[in-house]
Amino acid sequence: MNIHYFKHVPFEGLGCMKSWVKSPENKVTATKFYEDHRLPFIDICEMLIIMGGPMGVCDDKKYPWLVQEKQFIEKAIAKGKKVIGICLGAQLIADVLGAKVYKNAHKEIGWHNITLTEKALASPLFQGFNKDEKVFQWHGDTFDIPTGATNIASSEVCQHQGFVYKNQVLALQFHLESTEKSIEKLIEHCHEELTEKDSFIQSSEQIKEGIEQNLGRNNTLMQLLYNRVSNGY
Protein backbone atom coordinates (compact mmCIF):
# COMPACT_ATOMS: atom_id res chain seq x y z
CA MET A 1 0.00 0.00 0.00
CA ASN A 2 1.15 3.55 -0.75
CA ILE A 3 0.81 5.46 2.53
CA HIS A 4 1.43 9.16 3.07
CA TYR A 5 1.32 10.83 6.47
CA PHE A 6 1.19 14.42 7.64
CA LYS A 7 3.34 15.44 10.59
CA HIS A 8 2.85 18.93 12.01
CA VAL A 9 5.51 19.12 14.73
CA PRO A 10 8.61 17.00 15.42
CA PHE A 11 7.22 15.60 18.68
CA GLU A 12 3.92 14.18 17.35
CA GLY A 13 4.63 11.31 14.98
CA LEU A 14 3.23 7.91 14.12
CA GLY A 15 3.91 6.51 17.57
CA CYS A 16 3.17 2.80 17.80
CA MET A 17 1.89 2.84 14.21
CA LYS A 18 5.39 3.38 12.88
CA SER A 19 6.34 -0.31 12.65
CA TRP A 20 3.06 -1.27 10.99
CA VAL A 21 3.01 1.63 8.54
CA LYS A 22 6.66 1.20 7.61
CA SER A 23 6.44 -2.54 7.01
CA PRO A 24 8.29 -3.85 3.90
CA GLU A 25 5.11 -4.25 1.84
CA ASN A 26 4.23 -0.55 2.12
CA LYS A 27 5.68 2.46 0.32
CA VAL A 28 5.67 5.29 2.85
CA THR A 29 6.17 9.02 2.32
CA ALA A 30 5.60 11.99 4.58
CA THR A 31 5.02 15.70 4.59
CA LYS A 32 6.62 17.28 7.64
CA PHE A 33 5.05 20.72 7.60
CA TYR A 34 7.59 22.16 10.03
CA GLU A 35 10.29 21.45 7.40
CA ASP A 36 8.72 21.18 3.95
CA HIS A 37 5.24 21.91 2.63
CA ARG A 38 5.37 19.83 -0.56
CA LEU A 39 2.48 17.42 -1.05
CA PRO A 40 2.46 14.14 -3.00
CA PHE A 41 0.48 13.31 -6.12
CA ILE A 42 -2.85 12.36 -4.63
CA ASP A 43 -3.63 9.64 -7.17
CA ILE A 44 -0.74 7.45 -6.02
CA CYS A 45 -1.70 7.77 -2.36
CA GLU A 46 -3.90 4.92 -1.12
CA MET A 47 -3.97 5.86 2.57
CA LEU A 48 -3.49 9.21 4.30
CA ILE A 49 -2.67 9.46 8.01
CA ILE A 50 -2.93 12.89 9.67
CA MET A 51 -1.23 13.30 13.01
CA GLY A 52 -1.75 15.79 15.82
CA GLY A 53 -0.23 19.16 16.65
CA PRO A 54 -0.72 22.16 18.93
CA MET A 55 -2.11 24.43 16.21
CA GLY A 56 -5.80 24.85 15.44
CA VAL A 57 -7.64 24.27 12.18
CA CYS A 58 -8.24 28.02 11.74
CA ASP A 59 -4.63 29.11 12.36
CA ASP A 60 -4.12 29.74 8.62
CA LYS A 61 -2.41 33.11 9.10
CA LYS A 62 0.25 31.66 11.38
CA TYR A 63 0.50 28.39 9.43
CA PRO A 64 -0.40 29.17 5.77
CA TRP A 65 0.21 25.56 4.74
CA LEU A 66 -2.98 24.58 6.58
CA VAL A 67 -4.93 25.82 3.55
CA GLN A 68 -3.19 23.40 1.18
CA GLU A 69 -3.35 20.61 3.74
CA LYS A 70 -7.11 20.92 4.12
CA GLN A 71 -7.56 20.99 0.35
CA PHE A 72 -5.52 17.80 0.05
CA ILE A 73 -7.55 16.06 2.78
CA GLU A 74 -10.77 17.06 1.08
CA LYS A 75 -9.58 15.65 -2.25
CA ALA A 76 -8.36 12.44 -0.62
CA ILE A 77 -11.79 11.82 0.91
CA ALA A 78 -13.58 12.69 -2.33
CA LYS A 79 -11.39 10.23 -4.24
CA GLY A 80 -12.22 7.41 -1.82
CA LYS A 81 -8.81 7.16 -0.16
CA LYS A 82 -8.51 5.58 3.28
CA VAL A 83 -7.95 8.33 5.84
CA ILE A 84 -7.04 8.21 9.54
CA GLY A 85 -6.89 11.44 11.53
CA ILE A 86 -5.76 11.77 15.14
CA CYS A 87 -6.43 14.79 17.38
CA LEU A 88 -5.65 17.78 15.11
CA GLY A 89 -5.98 15.32 12.23
CA ALA A 90 -9.53 14.48 13.30
CA GLN A 91 -10.37 18.18 13.64
CA LEU A 92 -9.04 18.89 10.14
CA ILE A 93 -11.19 16.09 8.72
CA ALA A 94 -14.25 17.46 10.51
CA ASP A 95 -13.52 20.91 9.13
CA VAL A 96 -13.17 19.82 5.50
CA LEU A 97 -16.41 17.82 5.81
CA GLY A 98 -18.22 20.99 6.81
CA ALA A 99 -18.51 20.52 10.58
CA LYS A 100 -17.76 23.19 13.16
CA VAL A 101 -14.48 22.97 15.12
CA TYR A 102 -14.30 25.01 18.33
CA LYS A 103 -12.92 25.27 21.86
CA ASN A 104 -14.20 22.59 24.20
CA ALA A 105 -15.54 23.65 27.60
CA HIS A 106 -12.57 21.91 29.23
CA LYS A 107 -9.19 20.74 28.06
CA GLU A 108 -8.70 16.99 28.39
CA ILE A 109 -5.13 16.07 29.18
CA GLY A 110 -4.09 12.72 30.59
CA TRP A 111 -5.83 9.37 30.96
CA HIS A 112 -9.60 9.74 30.71
CA ASN A 113 -12.51 7.39 30.08
CA ILE A 114 -14.46 7.40 26.84
CA THR A 115 -17.76 5.59 26.31
CA LEU A 116 -18.39 4.06 22.90
CA THR A 117 -21.73 4.62 21.22
CA GLU A 118 -24.02 1.69 20.47
CA LYS A 119 -23.37 2.17 16.74
CA ALA A 120 -19.63 1.92 17.31
CA LEU A 121 -19.98 -1.22 19.43
CA ALA A 122 -22.10 -2.82 16.71
CA SER A 123 -19.54 -2.01 14.00
CA PRO A 124 -16.91 -4.59 12.97
CA LEU A 125 -14.39 -1.75 13.09
CA PHE A 126 -14.63 -1.64 16.89
CA GLN A 127 -14.94 -5.36 17.59
CA GLY A 128 -12.87 -6.09 20.70
CA PHE A 129 -13.44 -2.67 22.27
CA ASN A 130 -15.13 -2.40 25.64
CA LYS A 131 -17.98 0.03 26.06
CA ASP A 132 -15.72 2.08 28.35
CA GLU A 133 -12.03 2.50 27.60
CA LYS A 134 -9.39 4.65 29.30
CA VAL A 135 -7.44 6.50 26.62
CA PHE A 136 -4.74 9.14 26.43
CA GLN A 137 -5.97 12.65 25.69
CA TRP A 138 -4.32 15.97 24.97
CA HIS A 139 -6.69 18.47 23.40
CA GLY A 140 -8.52 21.72 23.97
CA ASP A 141 -10.66 21.84 20.82
CA THR A 142 -13.57 19.68 19.75
CA PHE A 143 -15.85 19.33 16.72
CA ASP A 144 -19.39 18.65 15.64
CA ILE A 145 -20.04 15.40 13.79
CA PRO A 146 -20.07 16.00 10.02
CA THR A 147 -23.21 15.28 8.02
CA GLY A 148 -23.18 11.62 6.99
CA ALA A 149 -20.66 10.61 9.67
CA THR A 150 -21.28 8.54 12.81
CA ASN A 151 -20.17 9.57 16.29
CA ILE A 152 -18.18 6.75 17.88
CA ALA A 153 -17.62 7.86 21.48
CA SER A 154 -18.03 10.53 24.13
CA SER A 155 -16.42 11.44 27.44
CA GLU A 156 -17.57 13.28 30.53
CA VAL A 157 -16.59 16.67 29.09
CA CYS A 158 -16.38 16.04 25.34
CA GLN A 159 -19.47 14.80 23.53
CA HIS A 160 -17.72 13.94 20.27
CA GLN A 161 -14.57 11.83 20.62
CA GLY A 162 -14.40 10.66 17.03
CA PHE A 163 -16.35 9.57 13.99
CA VAL A 164 -16.35 7.30 10.97
CA TYR A 165 -17.36 8.43 7.52
CA LYS A 166 -18.32 6.25 4.54
CA ASN A 167 -16.36 3.25 5.83
CA GLN A 168 -13.17 4.92 4.60
CA VAL A 169 -12.45 7.69 7.13
CA LEU A 170 -11.64 7.27 10.82
CA ALA A 171 -11.23 10.36 13.00
CA LEU A 172 -10.06 9.99 16.62
CA GLN A 173 -9.82 12.87 19.07
CA PHE A 174 -7.78 10.73 21.47
CA HIS A 175 -4.28 9.22 21.18
CA LEU A 176 -4.25 5.43 21.00
CA GLU A 177 -0.98 5.65 19.06
CA SER A 178 1.02 7.24 21.87
CA THR A 179 4.16 5.60 23.19
CA GLU A 180 6.01 6.28 26.41
CA LYS A 181 8.55 8.33 24.44
CA SER A 182 5.92 10.38 22.60
CA ILE A 183 4.10 11.13 25.86
CA GLU A 184 7.35 12.30 27.43
CA LYS A 185 7.92 14.58 24.43
CA LEU A 186 4.43 16.05 24.74
CA ILE A 187 5.06 16.78 28.41
CA GLU A 188 8.38 18.37 27.50
CA HIS A 189 7.07 20.59 24.70
CA CYS A 190 3.60 21.41 26.05
CA HIS A 191 4.25 21.40 29.80
CA GLU A 192 2.79 24.89 30.22
CA GLU A 193 -0.69 23.44 29.68
CA LEU A 194 -0.22 21.18 32.69
CA THR A 195 0.02 24.20 34.99
CA GLU A 196 -3.55 25.29 34.15
CA LYS A 197 -6.06 24.64 36.90
CA ASP A 198 -8.74 22.28 35.64
CA SER A 199 -10.00 19.00 37.02
CA PHE A 200 -9.56 17.36 33.60
CA ILE A 201 -5.88 18.29 33.27
CA GLN A 202 -3.66 15.74 34.97
CA SER A 203 -0.18 16.48 36.26
CA SER A 204 2.90 15.08 34.56
CA GLU A 205 3.24 12.65 37.46
CA GLN A 206 -0.32 11.38 37.01
CA ILE A 207 0.24 10.99 33.28
CA LYS A 208 3.45 9.02 33.77
CA GLU A 209 1.83 6.83 36.43
CA GLY A 210 -0.90 5.86 33.96
CA ILE A 211 1.49 4.68 31.26
CA GLU A 212 2.15 1.21 32.66
CA GLN A 213 -1.52 0.52 33.31
CA ASN A 214 -3.04 1.90 30.11
CA LEU A 215 -0.54 2.22 27.28
CA GLY A 216 -0.46 -1.43 26.19
CA ARG A 217 -4.24 -1.56 25.86
CA ASN A 218 -4.29 1.71 23.89
CA ASN A 219 -1.69 0.43 21.43
CA THR A 220 -3.54 -2.86 20.98
CA LEU A 221 -6.71 -0.96 20.09
CA MET A 222 -4.78 1.26 17.68
CA GLN A 223 -3.43 -1.81 15.89
CA LEU A 224 -6.93 -3.23 15.55
CA LEU A 225 -8.19 -0.01 14.01
CA TYR A 226 -5.21 0.48 11.71
CA ASN A 227 -5.43 -3.08 10.38
CA ARG A 228 -9.17 -2.86 9.82
CA VAL A 229 -9.07 0.50 8.03
CA SER A 230 -6.14 -0.77 5.90
CA ASN A 231 -8.16 -3.83 4.88
CA GLY A 232 -11.43 -1.97 4.36
CA TYR A 233 -13.00 -3.72 7.39
Side-chain angles (χ1 to χ4, degrees):
M1 181 180 290
N2 288 321
I3 301 175
H4 191 81
Y5 68 96
F6 289 157
K7 189 174 179 180
H8 304 100
V9 287
F11 54 91
E12 289 203 55
L14 291 170
C16 72
M17 289 191 289
K18 184 176 180 179
S19 60
W20 317 324
V21 170
K22 295 189 175 183
S23 60
E25 62 267 25
N26 293 333
K27 180 180 179 182
V28 183
T29 54
T31 299
K32 299 176 181 180
F33 287 104
Y34 51 92
E35 293 179 347
D36 191 346
H37 306 160
R38 287 177 294 180
L39 299 171
F41 291 109
I42 195 166
D43 288 336
I44 64 172
C45 176
E46 296 173 88
M47 174 182 277
L48 175 66
I49 302 175
I50 313 155
M51 303 310 302
M55 59 285 296
V57 300
C58 296
D59 290 343
D60 298 1
K61 290 185 178 180
K62 188 174 182 180
Y63 305 101
W65 42 261
L66 277 167
V67 175
Q68 287 72 40
E69 181 180 12
K70 286 185 278 188
Q71 290 172 346
F72 189 93
I73 295 169
E74 187 173 17
K75 289 178 182 177
I77 295 172
K79 286 178 173 286
K81 310 297 184 181
K82 298 168 183 177
V83 181
I84 297 175
I86 296 174
C87 201
L88 173 62
Q91 295 161 13
L92 288 165
I93 294 170
D95 181 74
V96 304
L97 289 176
K100 183 180 177 182
V101 181
Y102 49 95
K103 293 293 181 186
N104 198 40
H106 296 267
K107 287 186 178 181
E108 274 186 309
I109 300 177
W111 302 99
H112 297 283
N113 286 329
I114 59 168
T115 300
L116 270 69
T117 63
E118 293 302 321
K119 287 186 177 180
L121 290 170
S123 167
L125 180 59
F126 294 95
Q127 185 178 356
F129 278 67
N130 298 318
K131 184 172 184 178
D132 295 298
E133 296 282 0
K134 183 162 285 188
V135 300
F136 186 64
Q137 301 268 16
W138 199 304
H139 71 102
D141 290 350
T142 187
F143 45 75
D144 290 338
I145 300 299
T147 301
T150 301
N151 185 29
I152 61 167
S154 63
S155 69
E156 184 177 352
V157 292
C158 186
Q159 184 179 4
H160 301 142
Q161 286 284 346
F163 58 87
V164 292
Y165 179 75
K166 290 187 175 180
N167 288 342
Q168 72 177 92
V169 178
L170 172 65
L172 302 176
Q173 182 58 72
F174 44 94
H175 291 272
L176 297 177
E177 87 291 351
S178 291
T179 63
E180 183 172 0
K181 184 176 181 180
S182 71
I183 290 172
E184 289 174 351
K185 286 185 176 181
L186 270 172
I187 292 172
E188 176 187 352
H189 290 276
C190 303
H191 59 87
E192 69 282 354
E193 293 186 76
L194 302 181
T195 64
E196 299 177 29
K197 293 183 178 179
D198 193 298
S199 57
F200 297 97
I201 299 177
Q202 294 178 353
S203 67
S204 59
E205 291 77 16
Q206 289 174 307
I207 292 171
K208 291 176 181 177
E209 287 172 1
I211 288 175
E212 183 176 355
Q213 182 179 359
N214 302 302
L215 192 61
R217 173 66 176 171
N218 277 215
N219 289 175
T220 295
L221 296 177
M222 187 72 250
Q223 185 169 19
L224 288 176
L225 292 176
Y226 170 78
N227 289 342
R228 289 167 183 170
V229 172
S230 299
N231 295 316
Y233 66 98

